[in-house]
Amino acid sequence: MQKKLELLLEEAGAKLAFASHTFEEAEPLMEYHTGWAADAGDAGEAGQTLLPAGEAAAWEIMLTCAGIGGSSDGARLEVNWLHRGQSLQTAAEVRFEFAAWDRSNYVLVPGAVYNGNRFDVRSFSYPPCWSKLPERGPDTPALITDVPRLSVGPGPSAFHLLAGDAATPAVGVYDPVRRQGILILTCQQTGCGETSIHVQEAEDRGSAVISFRAPGVRPRIKYDMCTTGAPSPDRGADFGEGDKLSLSFEVYSFPCGSVDGLFARFAGVRKSLAGTPELSSSLPFSAAWAIQEQKYNELNWKEPYGYYAVGTVDMKHQDWQLGWVGGGMSSYALLLAGGEASVHRARRTLDFIFSGQTEAGFFPGVFYNGRYYGDEFNEDPQRDHPEQWHIVRKSADALYFLVKHLMAMNTLHPNELQPERWLEGTRRLADGFLRLWGRYGQFGQWVLAETGELLVGGSAGGAMAVAGLALFGQHLNEEVYLAAARAAGDYYYRQYTREGVTTGGPGEILQCPDSESAFALLEAFIVLHETTGEEKWLQRAEEAARQAISWCVSYNFVFPQESTFGRLGIETAGSVIANVQNKHSAPGICTLSGDSLLKLFRATGNPLYMEQLRDTAHQLPQYLSRQDRPVMGWDGKELLPGYMSERVNMSDWEGTELIGEVLPLSCWCEVSNMLTYAEVPGIYVQPDTGLLWVFDHVECSLEQEEGRLVLIVANTTNYPAEVSIFAELSTAAGVPLGQCASADWPRISVEPGAVRRVPLAFH
């Protein structure tokens, strides 16, 4: 097997090597290297190498290789280190050395680095604001903040991360010259603590090293919010005679003709080394919904103006923000699944939205205490048009969700007359995007809300407008909107999905790579496929999904035992890393249910998408603070029932002491949880094939009973469950699901500890 590993590495232009480092705190002192004697283990499955670790210390390194079941292009590697003598503040390192590197190589660390994060940088404290930059206009270059990255220009080029910075502890490379891909997966930690991940290029970019250290030590500096210059708190370990250390890897080397080839291979193997993560039952979707609906009506409802606020704190950005963090999205979930009062208030929220529409058709992004504000976070009074800077993503989200509101009203309340200004306002917004597209050939990232002038171009931040235009065109049967959606979909595919970098979805990251625009593009391509029937959008949706999945945590991070999440036993699998600047994971997709993954599965039959939807949807309720299990914020106070924080801190980007701790705010992820209840089935079953997927917190099986199929549903939680069931024949799965499909799904009641037998009816 060692010969196989050697061949795999040779195909990728790499060689295996080892190093031992000593430090004074995080300052490197000594470094010792040795190569791998590939023929040392020819007689068996193990090879041994000796590596100095100081003047009177050394490592005996034992290498064990094994095949990976079902994989012809991968090998599992175990590197066991036995220490001789005494060494202080030491770290062991496994190195993959590339002697023929090229700057064009696409470097991936899932959830942390996309195409090396190789962009021009502007140094700002948080929040970074475009109004402080001279770069403006449609051709604004892609600019990012000071995040871990490889350099654009000459000079040193390296980044240093801990495993918790990544959605999966892994590094991938697509080499377009060799047309070859390589993936190296490792584990979060060893017995010495968390592992670190390093990529370092030579100054001439002709060679590079990908390496992994245990314990993880980032030399000298580390990343804090918007700066890579914070002092590193990492330390080596003291090793004595006979101490042992083990590092595990999986290495895949494969022909690769595109960036998508790298993402596709990664999507298939990302759980292979750590194993399938445990998904524990905690709270049925319906129980979480009941807590949240009550919370939204008691704490988020603003009666004087008539809208559901995005938070509960008396401050500007916790009051009303359209789109993005949930404004006009929570109302959609409440319209679909809420009680009479919630539906009434959802309608009033629409009235409020249209009351603030500008002449250009867009909306002010923020409202607080009777006044509209611009979206720029900077308060500098010298900035131009301080109330007019508008994040395009917010109005793009609004267009998509406004059409969904209109379609839901038609489906659920067909006899109710909708106010004419709802349709007129939605058309004005769609026309605003038509003008933006016609004038600039893109939607950009920032506009002047009143005029529609493009302030900052570039980024995939406006991608949701593609979905909004397509859905509006279908709703009205007007080709002009569908035609623009097709053209814009082509543009965003070429510029972003095909290139493997989706940027600028959040409004306070400049144009850093992010997960939100990746999922927006998935949504856009799914809507285009469903509205046009064109197969190319399905293929593009799969590419977008594979990239979006790379942002999703694939394993259960081991939190410090004394941390809030450590004490609660939080399982991180399925959570979604926000972006490469704000390096926290989050409970769900900002701000969607993920039902696009269900639609993609139905169209392709690929279980990858259902698996990801299950991981993300199932895990959401565990983050909800509730009366019988409150979640403690990092201010030492218990979050109120219904609160859910966006922080799933596996990274120390806000300080080591905040790993596993909770931002004490009501956040947008509550909306993602509500949308999941409203749009994702608790159980999906195909009776003719026996295919069964369970998303809700119940246990299910299928039995034949007197010639019919019966679904057995057991509720093992302490809460009553109202579970939605989506049953269909496999032959029906190719029919687009469209919007508001959940209105036709039956719900069954299952008391705590009870079992229900449900004869399956399907169409």
Side-chain angles (χ1 to χ4, degrees):
M1 286 305 303
Q2 289 199 60
K3 283 296 185 184
K4 178 181 179 180
L5 175 64
E6 183 182 12
L7 289 172
L8 289 173
L9 292 174
E10 185 178 330
E11 288 172 353
K15 290 187 177 181
L16 187 64
F18 309 100
S20 181
H21 301 262
T22 58
F23 300 89
E24 182 176 345
E25 296 186 336
E27 183 69 29
L29 293 180
M30 298 294 293
E31 185 174 333
Y32 303 91
H33 288 263
T34 186
W36 170 42
D39 59 350
D42 279 354
E45 290 300 316
Q48 185 168 312
T49 300
L50 191 66
L51 172 65
E55 293 183 2
W59 292 103
E60 292 179 8
I61 305 172
M62 185 73 71
L63 193 72
T64 304
C65 295
I68 301 171
S71 171
S72 61
D73 59 6
R76 186 163 290 152
L77 172 64
E78 195 81 22
V79 184
N80 296 299
W81 304 66
L82 176 65
H83 194 268
R84 298 301 186 189
Q86 304 288 327
S87 61
L88 304 178
Q89 293 197 46
T90 297
E93 181 177 79
V94 177
R95 298 163 60 87
F96 297 84
E97 299 179 344
F98 294 78
W101 188 259
D102 192 273
R103 188 193 176 284
S104 66
N105 285 358
Y106 182 104
V107 178
L108 169 71
V109 178
V113 176
Y114 289 78
N115 199 16
N117 292 347
R118 213 188 290 266
F119 300 92
D120 286 329
V121 174
R122 298 294 182 268
S123 294
F124 283 124
S125 59
Y126 184 87
C129 295
W130 278 103
S131 61
K132 294 183 179 180
L133 292 172
E135 290 88 354
R136 300 278 176 85
D139 300 321
T140 309
L143 303 175
I144 65 172
T145 52
D146 182 15
V147 300
R149 65 193 182 278
L150 299 176
S151 297
V152 172
S157 179
F159 60 78
H160 310 278
L161 306 168
L162 291 181
D165 289 306
T168 303
V171 180
V173 180
Y174 159 54
D175 183 338
V177 177
R178 289 173 171 265
R179 297 183 66 80
Q180 187 73 20
I182 185 170
L183 284 166
I184 307 165
L185 282 68
T186 192
C187 296
Q188 176 205 337
Q189 59 180 3
T190 67
C192 292
E194 194 161 3
T195 301
S196 57
I197 301 169
H198 311 262
V199 176
Q200 184 162 351
E201 297 180 314
E203 292 206 10
D204 66 358
R205 309 296 185 262
S207 61
V209 177
I210 298 172
S211 60
F212 304 84
R213 289 180 191 163
V217 181
R218 294 159 295 182
R220 301 187 181 91
I221 55 176
K222 57 155 287 218
Y223 177 75
D224 275 1
M225 172 96 76
C226 292
T227 176
T228 56
S232 172
D234 303 337
R235 301 293 183 263
D238 297 339
F239 291 94
E241 179 68 29
D243 285 346
K244 296 179 180 179
L245 176 68
S246 181
L247 281 159
S248 300
F249 300 91
E250 284 187 355
V251 180
Y252 299 87
S253 181
F254 47 94
C256 187
S258 66
V259 171
D260 180 59
L262 179 67
F263 281 102
R265 193 72 187 100
F266 171 71
V269 304
R270 67 197 183 106
K271 295 181 179 180
S272 178
L273 181 60
T276 301
E278 181 180 355
L279 303 179
S280 300
S281 290
S282 60
L283 188 68
F285 288 174
S286 58
W289 170 267
I291 294 169
Q292 288 191 280
E293 184 177 18
Q294 180 178 351
K295 180 257 186 185
Y296 259 72
N297 281 312
E298 291 181 354
L299 300 179
N300 291 68
W301 177 249
K302 300 289 186 177
E303 177 60 34
Y305 304 105
Y307 59 81
Y308 284 108
V310 299
T312 61
V313 178
D314 185 19
M315 60 181 289
K316 186 168 71 172
H317 289 103
Q318 274 268 300
D319 194 358
W320 173 263
Q321 289 194 69
L322 183 68
W324 186 16
V325 292
M329 298 163 137
S330 60
S331 55
Y332 179 67
L334 290 161
L335 181 68
L336 279 182
E340 184 177 345
S342 298
V343 171
H344 174 68
R345 288 176 170 183
R347 292 172 62 96
R348 286 187 62 188
T349 299
L350 286 191
D351 288 334
F352 168 78
I353 291 172
F354 289 112
S355 69
Q357 194 165 21
T358 71
E359 286 298 316
F362 300 106
F363 295 99
V366 178
F367 181 85
Y368 177 58
N369 282 346
R371 178 184 169 188
Y372 286 105
Y373 292 85
D375 280 319
E376 262 285 8
F377 290 86
N378 179 24
E379 300 295 339
D380 183 353
Q382 300 302 313
R383 62 196 170 105
D384 51 330
H385 304 287
E387 307 306 331
Q388 284 293 309
W389 280 74
H390 179 55
I391 300 168
V392 173
R393 184 258 178 93
K394 287 189 171 183
S395 278
D397 284 351
L399 177 60
Y400 183 47
F401 274 87
L402 286 171
V403 183
K404 286 163 74 80
H405 277 82
L406 298 178
M407 298 176 85
M409 290 297 297
N410 284 347
T411 300
L412 300 172
H413 309 282
N415 298 322
E416 289 188 21
L417 188 64
Q418 297 180 23
E420 187 63 28
R421 68 178 185 143
W422 290 1
L423 182 59
E424 291 175 354
T426 306
R427 184 187 289 277
R428 286 176 60 196
L429 178 56
D431 289 345
F433 277 106
L434 285 185
R435 287 190 296 272
L436 199 59
W437 175 256
R439 182 175 177 184
Y440 299 106
Q442 60 170 300
F443 299 129
Q445 189 179 23
W446 292 84
V447 295
L448 287 177
E450 197 66 43
T451 67
E453 177 189 348
L454 190 60
L455 285 171
V456 178
S459 98
M464 195 63 84
V466 177
L469 286 170
L471 204 60
F472 192 59
Q474 181 192 50
H475 183 58
L476 296 184
N477 194 26
E478 293 191 17
E479 178 60 29
V480 63
Y481 300 108
L482 280 166
R486 286 188 183 95
D490 285 335
Y491 167 81
Y492 281 98
Y493 171 74
R494 290 193 308 270
Q495 291 290 114
Y496 300 102
T497 302
R498 189 172 66 182
E499 298 301 314
V501 181
T502 57
T503 66
E508 27 69 86
I509 63 169
L510 297 188
Q511 291 179 349
C512 284
D514 75 286
S515 65
E516 297 171 27
S517 52
F519 273 103
L521 284 163
L522 168 60
E523 200 86 6
F525 297 146
I526 283 292
V527 171
L528 278 168
H529 173 65
E530 290 199 336
T531 55
T532 69
E534 296 168 2
E535 284 299 309
K536 72 175 183 180
W537 301 117
L538 188 59
Q539 172 258 319
R540 292 174 178 185
E542 290 205 81
E543 290 188 42
R546 289 189 280 265
Q547 289 180 38
I549 286 170
S550 75
W551 292 92
C552 299
V553 179
S554 62
Y555 70 106
N556 287 327
F557 181 87
V558 180
F559 287 106
Q561 288 185 357
E562 69 280 3
S563 69
T564 297
F565 279 0
R567 293 194 303 270
L568 291 174
I570 293 294
E571 298 165 353
T572 57
S575 62
V576 185
I577 290 182
N579 53 76
V580 305
Q581 174 189 285
N582 303 341
K583 294 179 68 63
H584 64 85
S585 196
I589 303 164
C590 186
T591 310
L592 299 165
S593 67
D595 70 331
S596 55
L597 292 164
L598 170 64
K599 295 175 179 180
L600 189 55
F601 163 77
R602 293 179 71 253
T604 65
N606 189 337
L608 170 70
Y609 311 126
M610 290 291 260
E611 182 180 309
Q612 185 57 60
L613 178 59
R614 179 198 60 200
D615 288 359
T616 299
H618 182 88
Q619 300 289 67
L620 271 163
Q622 68 176 326
Y623 297 99
L624 191 72
S625 188
R626 57 185 200 257
Q627 193 166 10
D628 67 322
R629 197 219 60 170
V631 176
M632 186 77 72
W634 64 44
D635 60 355
K637 299 177 182 178
E638 292 180 353
L639 274 62
L640 294 173
Y643 274 45
M644 185 184 290
S645 172
E646 69 174 4
R647 293 295 202 277
V648 182
N649 267 348
M650 308 186 304
S651 165
D652 65 352
W653 71 297
E654 293 183 292
T656 303
E657 71 281 2
L658 291 183
I659 294 175
E661 300 302 337
V662 177
L663 175 71
L665 284 177
S666 172
C667 293
W668 58 263
C669 38
E670 297 167 16
V671 181
S672 297
N673 196 36
M674 294 163 74
L675 287 169
T676 297
Y677 174 74
E679 293 191 308
V680 174
I683 301 166
Y684 175 84
V685 59
Q686 291 180 0
D688 58 327
T689 64
L691 184 68
L692 177 66
W693 285 92
V694 182
F695 303 101
D696 208 337
H697 291 240
V698 291
E699 296 178 0
C700 297
S701 61
L702 291 169
E703 290 183 6
Q704 288 285 343
E705 183 180 279
E706 297 179 357
R708 62 180 182 176
L709 198 64
V710 176
L711 179 68
I712 314 299
V713 183
N715 179 5
T716 60
T717 75
N718 296 323
Y719 286 80
E722 296 281 338
V723 186
S724 62
I725 301 173
F726 179 18
E728 65 175 348
L729 293 173
S730 59
T731 51
V735 179
L737 198 59
Q739 306 301 315
C740 312
S742 59
D744 292 330
W745 300 337
R747 291 185 178 273
I748 62 165
S749 299
V750 191
E751 292 301 313
V755 177
R756 283 285 303 270
R757 302 177 69 84
V758 184
L760 287 175
F762 51 88
H763 45 268

